[in-house]
């Protein structure tokens, strides 16, 4: 399972913002997608890790 930011309609965003203000916090909404991770060789994984370090990001390889 891969998790990403949820796609929210206006009413949902407003409900979340109302609770954020009440609690004085920031809430992040995530939804799961049934996607499988890609199987990588050690060399491919190393290349991804090097790019992550260079860009300061986390990357996830999936099988589309």
């Amino acid at each position: 399972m891969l998790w990403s930011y949820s796609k929210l309609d206006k009413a949902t965003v407003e409900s979340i913002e109302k609770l954020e203000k009440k609690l004085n916090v920031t809430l992040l909404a995530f939804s799961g997608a049934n996607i499988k991770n890609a199987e990588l060789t050690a060399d491919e994984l190393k290349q991804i890790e090097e790019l992550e370090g260079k860009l300061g990001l986390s990357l996830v390889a999936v099988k589309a």
Side-chain angles (χ1 to χ4, degrees):
M1 172 108 18
L2 176 70
W3 295 88
S4 62
Y5 291 116
S6 301
K7 294 181 180 169
L8 307 173
D9 61 29
K10 185 176 179 180
T12 303
V13 171
E14 289 172 353
S15 296
I16 293 170
E17 288 175 337
K18 182 178 178 181
L19 185 57
E20 286 178 324
K21 288 177 185 173
K22 180 178 179 182
L23 301 177
N24 194 31
V25 298
T26 299
L27 298 170
L28 303 176
F30 291 92
S31 296
N34 201 10
I35 298 174
K36 294 183 179 182
N37 290 342
E39 293 187 29
L40 302 170
T41 65
D43 182 59
E44 291 168 332
L45 182 57
K46 182 179 177 185
Q47 291 177 59
I48 292 171
E49 290 171 341
E50 288 172 355
L51 185 57
E52 287 177 324
K54 179 180 178 183
L55 300 176
L57 301 171
S58 294
L59 301 171
V60 178
V62 299
K63 190 73 172 175

